[in-house]
Amino acid sequence: MSTAMFAVAAIAVLIAMALSMVRAFVGPTVFDRILAVNVSGTLTVVLISVYGFLDGRPDFLDIALLYALINFIGTIAVSKYMKFGSLGHPHDSNDEGDV
Amino acid sequence: MLEFLHTPVGPLALNDWISWFFILGGAFFSIVGALGIVRLPDVFSRMHGAGMVDTAGIDMILIGLMFQATEWIVVVKLGLILLFLFFTSPTTTFALARAAISGGVNPGPKRREPHQLKDQKAQEETTSSNT
């Protein structure tokens, strides 16, 4: 019975990922694409967790935790790149930034 | 873990009822938020749909998974994922909104409709012909 529960969660997450990928392909500005890819990555974290439960191996939660951190760092890096045009130097300075 | 959660209530055990409630709620909020990402008009309102997916949808699905765990370490890992997403999602939205504003996206209302533009053009023509 609990397998049906996990299957419902996985199907809902897949539908939401498909819709957000539509926005990632259509999106008029680059920020729409960043937003859609960020949401898609967040949903991937849940999909990995649900698949771990569905397969009876909750060890997948470690991978999901790692994916959440990488997704956050990646989105922050792309946002910083789109704002400053560079990753290494902050605004109007030649010092190395925090990246 | 927590044996009183496994007492049968009707056709299902109690933790199965709780998990069904949270997972169906999370599925609802995820799909509605994703529809908002597709259908809302500009970047800043699409962030609202993304926020719905990142908070309501994700958190309810993960809480629903917590009630199906058989070991405490699984609950701890799910709680850590939930905590990271809870703090990183608003940070990401903030950074993306700052980047979008400095990238030239207009957060105000949309431009005028075409018929309004035609009226304005006609008015400009009459004023220029008067002068």
Side-chain angles (χ1 to χ4, degrees):
Chain A
M1 199 59 202
S2 58
T3 308
M5 181 189 308
F6 302 143
V8 166
I11 289 171
V13 168
L14 283 173
I15 291 173
M17 281 176 78
L19 287 173
S20 66
M21 288 319 279
V22 167
R23 176 52 69 192
F25 279 109
V26 170
T29 66
V30 69
F31 305 108
D32 292 302
R33 299 177 205 268
I34 298 173
L35 183 73
V37 169
N38 177 35
V39 169
S40 181
T42 312
L43 287 169
T44 306
V45 174
V46 179
L47 188 65
I48 293 172
S49 306
V50 171
Y51 181 72
F53 275 86
L54 197 60
D55 206 20
R57 289 191 291 172
D59 308 326
F60 274 60
L61 289 176
D62 296 330
I63 306 172
L65 192 53
L66 188 68
Y67 201 91
L69 294 174
I70 291 176
N71 187 33
F72 170 63
I73 297 295
T75 310
I76 290 292
V78 176
S79 297
K80 184 176 179 182
Y81 182 73
M82 289 315 297
K83 183 170 181 180
F84 295 116
S86 150
L87 281 180
H89 303 283
H91 208 45
D92 290 337
S93 168
N94 285 326
D95 296 333
E96 287 291 331
D98 292 334
V99 171
Chain B
M1 46 163 287
L2 295 183
E3 293 302 321
F4 70 95
L5 281 177
H6 295 279
T7 53
V9 179
L12 290 177
L14 183 58
N15 63 344
D16 285 343
W17 283 109
I18 300 174
S19 287
W20 269 113
F21 171 73
F22 277 109
I23 283 179
L24 286 182
F28 173 75
F29 280 112
S30 297
I31 294 177
V32 168
L35 272 177
I37 293 175
V38 174
R39 286 189 56 87
L40 284 175
D42 67 344
V43 184
F44 299 100
S45 50
R46 278 171 204 140
M47 282 175 191
H48 166 61
M52 268 182 77
V53 175
D54 282 347
T55 56
I58 300 301
D59 289 354
M60 284 183 84
I61 289 180
L62 288 181
I63 289 173
L65 289 183
M66 274 184 193
F67 285 96
Q68 293 296 317
T70 54
E71 300 169 8
W72 280 105
I73 185 66
V74 174
V75 180
V76 170
K77 282 176 189 170
L78 281 172
L80 278 178
I81 295 175
L82 208 151
L83 195 69
F84 277 125
L85 289 178
F86 189 79
F87 283 111
T88 57
S89 162
T91 312
T92 307
T93 306
F94 175 75
L96 189 59
R98 289 288 298 266
I101 282 188
S102 68
V105 181
N106 179 21
K110 296 191 73 167
R111 284 169 298 175
R112 290 193 179 91
E113 297 297 320
H115 62 87
Q116 288 174 324
L117 281 179
K118 200 162 60 181
D119 291 345
Q120 192 183 18
K121 202 172 178 181
Q123 195 178 5
E124 283 174 358
E125 280 175 358
T126 54
T127 52
S128 61
S129 63
N130 285 337
T131 57

